[in-house]
Amino acid sequence: MFSSSLLLQESIVIGWAARDVSGHLSPYSFTLRKTGPGDVVLKVLYCGVDHTDLHQMKGEIMPINYPLVPGHEVVGEVVEVGSEVNKFKLGDRVGVGCMISSCGKCLSCNSNNEQYCNQRVFTYGAVNEDGTPTHGGFSTAMVVHQKFVVKIPEKLAPKQAAPLLCAGVTAYSPLKQFNNSDKAIKAGISGLGGVGHLAVLIAKAMGHHVTVISSSEKKKAEALEHLHADAFLVSSNAAEMEGAAASLDYILDTVPAFHSLEPYISLLKAGGKLIFVGVSTKPLHFNNDDLILGKKSLTGSFIGSMEETQEILDFWAEKGLSTLIDVVKMGYINKAFERLERNDVRYRFVLDVAGSNLE
């Protein structure tokens, strides 16, 4: 814990950082960058634990400059604002997602798609304009420009909001194109982890008929009885998959590992879309004949815009939805990542940062 006055005077915060590709986290002190006129300083309350954190900590996606303080599903309380900040005030509950800056000038930035800006700056593992490294929400405080901060609705508990800032908006952004459709939408959600379970809830709230596709029957009861999916397919069951051929308008593929694509492509109707949001560390392969003969498409979607991040928070509060989370303290984080690696979590760990002893 820390006092706001101490934070503002010294700008020294404590986080937990990985020092090498082992990914093991331990206490680490660092200095916050200088607060600019458009910046918000927030005391971190909660932070979601994402599968991407695990890949990044181990250097599996891109080269990493250690020490690395992860965390990009950050919920906090505003404790200082710059002189030009007009969106937030002291005491506001706010969120920070996967990125903290972009160029602000390109086509993507000017069309509210700043997540596709080639000069985007990620919340951690990147470099600020002043040359200092960016550090994430596994820490006591952060400094972020107001453009990349969102408001947490009053009806939404802070710990419930955390997973929506990456996993939630990652599912919401590609699914919103099917919202308010004038026809019945038959959806497939592949993978029932952190992103997948939120995707099921979002798709159901949008009125879609939802089929969960999983590698085994282990999560069948969870999908049907607790998440209220309409159907369940085991991807390794050839008879089940054949029986569901050409039945889905889209499949949201959330699986963050290597898997065969052809069984999924066969499930799509003519004109259907297979949308990737899970990052595989190995190349995925497919034959293109089924795409050509069925006018099917493979596409990807990366997190969501700041506008969409606010939208999913408001959507969640409006619909009265609940994330399925396991709240843990920082002292448990290495164990949490071990469990995450073997998919032993229902369905998202959330760190109680403010309630933890980080030293």
Side-chain angles (χ1 to χ4, degrees), residues 183-204:
K183 67 172 186 175
I185 298 293
K186 299 197 74 173
I189 306 297
S190 174
L192 201 59
V195 176
H197 97 276
L198 296 176
V200 172
L201 294 172
I202 292 167
K204 287 294 295 181

Side-chain angles (χ1 to χ4, degrees), residues 9-25:
Q9 291 170 12
E10 299 181 355
S11 298
I12 302 296
V13 299
I14 300 173
W16 276 44
R19 265 74 172 192
D20 53 45
V21 295
S22 71
H24 183 83
L25 296 166

